Amino acid sequence: MPVETINWKNGRIRYIDQTLLPGRLKFVECDNIPKLWKAIKTLAIRGAPAIGIAGALGVVLGANSCKTESRGVFLRDLRRQIKYLASSRPTAVNLFWALARMESVAESNIGKPVSAIRRLLLKEALQILEDDRNACRAMARYGASLVKAGDTILTHCNAGGLATADYGTALGVLFESKRLGKRIKVYVDETRPLLQGARLTAWELIHERIDTTLICDNMAASLMAKGKIDKIFVGADRIASNGDTANKIGTYSLAVLATHHGVPFYVVAPVSTFDLDINTGRDIPIEERGGDEVRTVMGKMIAPKNVKVYNPAFDVTPNHLIRAIITEKGILKAPYSRSLRRSAA
Amino acid sequence: MPVETINWKNGRIRYIDQTLLPGRLKFVECDNIPKLWKAIKTLAIRGAPAIGIAGALGVVLGANSCKTESRGVFLRDLRRQIKYLASSRPTAVNLFWALARMESVAESNIGKPVSAIRRLLLKEALQILEDDRNACRAMARYGASLVKAGDTILTHCNAGGLATADYGTALGVLFESKRLGKRIKVYVDETRPLLQGARLTAWELIHERIDTTLICDNMAASLMAKGKIDKIFVGADRIASNGDTANKIGTYSLAVLATHHGVPFYVVAPVSTFDLDINTGRDIPIEERGGDEVRTVMGKMIAPKNVKVYNPAFDVTPNHLIRAIITEKGILKAPYSRSLRRSAA
């Protein structure tokens, strides 16, 4: 069973503080939006689908904290809270998608008493969580159909149970392959600067007793040159209409290297990751984070204090480098401008 | 002026302990071979040319510590010490090249008294150091002829003053460009696992007041995709007859990415880095180092303690990805099997 990364419990959000893993598995309870905002901002809660769920549950916190019975005041306050939650991180579209779903529930039920709207908002947030759980299982099944016994697979960052409500996107494919009795070996990029591969993915894979080897991000090419990587599976934070995919920094690098070495490169993501309002990856806003994430590791300074840093949290992989996009609706192939729109319909 | 990374002082080797940089600039004196062996093994002394110089000076320590006046005993002991020094690190050929030069001095002067041979060995080691100094200056001049004012340059690992007896190979090119008044901007890969880029290269470049930006290794592709990198300069640890080049892990990755993006990729290395006894990079032994270098950063555990690790210290860049090899004899172009042999003659 996957760990319960995020859920709703006794009127609060209960989540794992992922900044403490793998050293410590700590569950945190959160009953207010500023604390949730900070948890998302600092990557205590992270992974595009999990951020979406956090946003939806955050709207419930906001609705419950607003004590008015005036529907107008309630809706105005809710919109303010939604706007604030949306400001936590700019790239993963699942957050905006979930917030829009929540806002739409409030708007379309505005004729009802505020207490009823609150209940409907909770129901919707839990539905988003449940939908993600089901999407994970469906993606895993589709993805596992591409994995052969004996495959050696490379993954980057964390697209596992810690990024979703269930057992993940890219990692779900690996867990399902294992469950089906396919013997696989997995290489994990450590994924600097915040080391989600080393800290989170290695932890999840070892927990599921999958043969796991950790590498630094700059070692993947060398493995590919030796023919040691059969397939690459990664997650996604936002996918434009044409299939261009934003994901954790370093993903684009892997996709170019995969193409050079003839290694199939797969993206695994739920349909909620699609952003059909934008045409290409050029329109995806890329979050740039603080320099100390690069200058330090776990609080230790690793570079001259005064060195300038460039720290984009994501990069964009152009559609032509992606062999297929695996969603809960099926395995999508190029031309993505057609297959994405059809599956999102 | 470059820092004095390694030199001979009062009958001892004096070197900078590079594991402590950039936090602390500590000079260490070394009067015995086991201590020197450990300094090379742990990368307190590192960089192919610097390791060669360390090896040569180590032979002098060995010659001085052997108190015999018997030339036979002396030579036997010297060979044993040389073999031991050669076991410290397997990939950089400069070490073996320098040790062979030292052994040959002892052998060709074996008719002389041991005290004379000792003096000749010191003279040879200091000549190797002086030759490297001159080679650095010549490479820098040739390399700088390829740099235009306004260029943005990417480098990997440390190929600077800390890797040589003077101001470096790849970094020498940048220092010389700056000296010539060409305004340049440099991106530095942090270079996991041991962070020579973040710790050493950033420190050297900032010291010379060059506009320096630190990135994680997985960010270089993203910069290239944006057209932000004009040229890449790296060092080398061993170059096969056909131009295939072993250098710090991640170099091959950069070379593939550079080719994909049309960015010229240059290797800067003295002729002592050539290994004309081997035909291709397949014959270069690649050092694999301990897993804790990847599992930890500056002593902090960043991954599950029990995760397997793959930690090659170097990779091999095939000749066709290299635009030119810059040596103290000039700028060498393909076909390298011809140009390398000619320049080494």
Side-chain angles (χ1 to χ4, degrees):
Chain A
M1 275 302 296
V3 293
E4 205 162 67
T5 297
I6 186 162
N7 212 332
W8 183 255
K9 202 170 173 179
N10 303 328
R12 295 169 172 206
I13 300 172
R14 184 170 179 267
Y15 64 86
I16 296 172
D17 181 349
Q18 300 191 34
T19 63
L20 304 175
L21 286 172
R24 191 165 160 221
L25 176 62
K26 185 186 174 191
F27 290 89
V28 176
E29 298 207 342
C30 173
D31 65 358
N32 67 84
I33 288 187
K35 184 172 175 181
L36 180 67
W37 188 93
K38 199 178 164 205
I40 297 172
K41 184 75 177 177
T42 61
L43 277 61
I45 301 170
R46 49 148 295 284
I51 293 174
I53 294 161
L57 294 172
V59 174
V60 179
L61 286 183
N64 292 353
S65 73
C66 175
K67 298 301 181 193
T68 184
E69 289 308 315
S70 151
R71 293 173 296 207
V73 172
F74 177 80
L75 194 60
R76 202 160 51 240
D77 191 64
L78 203 72
R79 284 182 174 142
R80 192 178 51 76
Q81 307 267 27
I82 285 172
K83 202 167 167 187
Y84 176 60
L85 282 166
S87 72
S88 56
R89 296 194 72 194
T91 302
V93 78
N94 316 56
L95 175 63
F96 311 115
W97 165 87
L99 294 175
R101 246 178 90 163
M102 295 299 283
E103 188 171 357
S104 147
V105 163
E107 284 168 349
S108 58
N109 291 284
I110 196 62
K112 296 182 181 143
V114 169
S115 58
I117 304 177
R118 285 198 192 96
R119 277 194 302 275
L120 288 166
L121 284 170
L122 175 58
K123 194 177 160 222
E124 184 72 5
L126 295 177
Q127 188 62 51
I128 286 173
L129 191 144
E130 183 61 24
D131 288 351
D132 186 61
R133 211 168 260 163
N134 293 327
C136 283
R137 298 282 157 163
M139 284 182 277
R141 280 191 301 273
Y142 284 118
S145 73
L146 299 168
V147 175
K148 280 192 217 152
D151 269 355
T152 298
I153 290 160
L154 174 66
T155 190
H156 187 70
C157 195
N158 176 270
L162 292 165
T164 64
D166 199 71
Y167 65 7
T169 56
L171 292 197
V173 171
L174 309 185
F175 295 142
E176 178 69 6
S177 301
K178 158 94 182 188
R179 201 187 63 78
L180 294 171
K182 297 178 187 181
R183 190 177 45 77
I184 55 171
K185 180 173 165 60
V186 181
Y187 282 97
V188 181
D189 277 351
E190 64 174 8
T191 318
R192 277 279 285 149
L194 294 179
L195 299 162
Q196 292 92 336
R199 295 191 302 108
L200 310 178
T201 298
W203 183 77
E204 285 196 47
L205 290 169
I206 288 173
H207 189 262
E208 298 292 323
R209 298 174 185 280
I210 288 176
D211 182 350
T212 303
T213 303
L214 179 65
I215 58 172
C216 298
D217 299 321
N218 60 26
M219 296 170 183
S222 167
L223 285 169
M224 290 187 223
K226 290 183 175 141
K228 289 197 176 170
I229 304 295
D230 296 305
K231 281 153 194 147
I232 299 175
F233 288 92
V234 298
D237 288 85
R238 193 187 296 214
I239 303 177
S241 305
N242 70 343
D244 290 354
T245 295
N247 191 45
K248 179 54 54 192
I249 187 73
T251 302
Y252 167 63
S253 188
L254 283 188
V256 172
L257 294 167
T259 302
H260 180 85
H261 295 94
V263 175
F265 179 89
Y266 298 107
V267 170
V268 190
V271 167
S272 60
T273 312
F274 296 176
D275 184 354
L276 301 182
D277 292 338
I278 60 173
N279 293 324
T280 77
R282 275 194 302 277
D283 300 323
I284 301 176
I286 298 297
E287 178 182 10
E288 284 190 29
R289 296 180 60 87
D292 277 347
E293 287 187 353
V294 174
R295 280 185 216 103
T296 64
V297 178
M298 312 279 247
K300 284 264 189 183
M301 189 65 67
I302 61 151
K305 277 193 296 268
N306 56 339
V307 70
K308 283 196 291 182
V309 165
Y310 173 60
N311 183 21
F314 304 93
D315 57 26
V316 175
T317 300
N319 55 15
H320 65 273
L321 301 179
I322 301 168
R323 184 70 62 97
I325 299 175
I326 298 149
T327 75
E328 71 273 36
K329 303 284 190 76
I331 299 173
L332 311 186
K333 299 263 178 121
Y336 293 112
S337 45
R338 195 183 307 163
S339 56
L340 263 65
R341 219 165 268 282
R342 198 182 297 148
S343 76
Chain B
M1 274 302 294
V3 292
E4 205 161 68
T5 297
I6 185 161
N7 213 332
W8 183 256
K9 202 168 176 181
N10 304 327
R12 297 170 172 205
I13 300 172
R14 184 169 180 268
Y15 64 85
I16 295 173
D17 181 349
Q18 300 191 33
T19 64
L20 304 176
L21 286 172
R24 193 166 159 219
L25 177 61
K26 185 187 175 192
F27 290 88
V28 176
E29 298 207 340
C30 173
D31 65 358
N32 67 85
I33 288 188
K35 184 174 175 180
L36 181 67
W37 188 94
K38 199 179 164 205
I40 297 172
K41 184 75 176 178
T42 60
L43 279 60
I45 301 170
R46 48 147 297 284
I51 293 174
I53 293 160
L57 293 172
V59 174
V60 179
L61 286 183
N64 292 353
S65 72
C66 175
K67 299 299 180 195
T68 185
E69 289 307 316
S70 151
R71 294 175 294 208
V73 172
F74 178 80
L75 194 60
R76 204 160 51 240
D77 191 64
L78 204 71
R79 283 182 175 144
R80 193 178 52 76
Q81 307 266 29
I82 285 172
K83 203 168 164 186
Y84 176 61
L85 282 167
S87 73
S88 56
R89 295 194 73 194
T91 301
V93 78
N94 316 58
L95 175 62
F96 312 114
W97 165 87
L99 293 174
R101 247 177 89 163
M102 295 299 284
E103 188 171 358
S104 146
V105 164
E107 284 168 349
S108 58
N109 291 286
I110 197 61
K112 296 183 181 142
V114 170
S115 59
I117 305 177
R118 286 199 191 94
R119 277 194 303 276
L120 288 166
L121 284 170
L122 176 58
K123 195 178 160 220
E124 184 72 5
L126 295 177
Q127 189 61 52
I128 286 173
L129 192 145
E130 183 61 24
D131 288 351
D132 185 62
R133 211 168 260 162
N134 293 327
C136 284
R137 299 281 157 165
M139 285 182 277
R141 280 192 301 273
Y142 285 118
S145 72
L146 300 169
V147 174
K148 280 193 217 153
D151 270 354
T152 298
I153 289 160
L154 175 65
T155 189
H156 187 70
C157 196
N158 176 269
L162 292 165
T164 63
D166 198 72
Y167 65 6
T169 55
L171 292 197
V173 171
L174 309 185
F175 296 141
E176 179 67 7
S177 301
K178 157 96 184 190
R179 202 188 62 79
L180 294 171
K182 297 178 186 181
R183 190 178 45 76
I184 55 170
K185 180 174 166 62
V186 181
Y187 281 96
V188 181
D189 276 351
E190 63 173 7
T191 319
R192 276 280 284 150
L194 294 179
L195 298 162
Q196 292 92 337
R199 295 191 301 109
L200 310 178
T201 299
W203 182 77
E204 285 196 47
L205 290 169
I206 288 173
H207 189 261
E208 296 294 323
R209 298 175 187 280
I210 288 177
D211 181 351
T212 303
T213 303
L214 179 64
I215 58 171
C216 298
D217 299 321
N218 60 26
M219 296 170 183
S222 167
L223 285 169
M224 290 188 224
K226 290 183 176 142
K228 290 197 176 170
I229 303 295
D230 297 304
K231 279 151 197 151
I232 299 175
F233 288 91
V234 298
D237 288 85
R238 192 187 297 214
I239 302 176
S241 305
N242 71 342
D244 290 353
T245 295
N247 191 44
K248 179 53 57 194
I249 187 72
T251 301
Y252 167 63
S253 187
L254 283 188
V256 172
L257 294 167
T259 302
H260 180 85
H261 294 94
V263 176
F265 179 88
Y266 298 107
V267 170
V268 190
V271 167
S272 60
T273 312
F274 296 177
D275 183 354
L276 301 182
D277 293 337
I278 61 173
N279 293 323
T280 77
R282 276 194 301 278
D283 300 323
I284 301 176
I286 298 297
E287 177 182 12
E288 285 189 29
R289 295 180 61 87
D292 277 348
E293 286 186 355
V294 174
R295 281 186 215 101
T296 63
V297 178
M298 313 280 248
K300 284 264 189 183
M301 189 65 66
I302 61 152
K305 277 194 296 268
N306 57 338
V307 71
K308 284 196 290 183
V309 164
Y310 173 59
N311 183 20
F314 305 93
D315 57 27
V316 175
T317 300
N319 55 14
H320 65 272
L321 301 179
I322 301 168
R323 184 70 62 97
I325 298 175
I326 297 148
T327 75
E328 72 273 35
K329 303 284 187 76
I331 298 172
L332 311 186
K333 298 263 178 122
Y336 293 111
S337 45
R338 194 182 307 161
S339 57
L340 263 67
R341 219 165 268 284
R342 197 181 298 148
S343 76

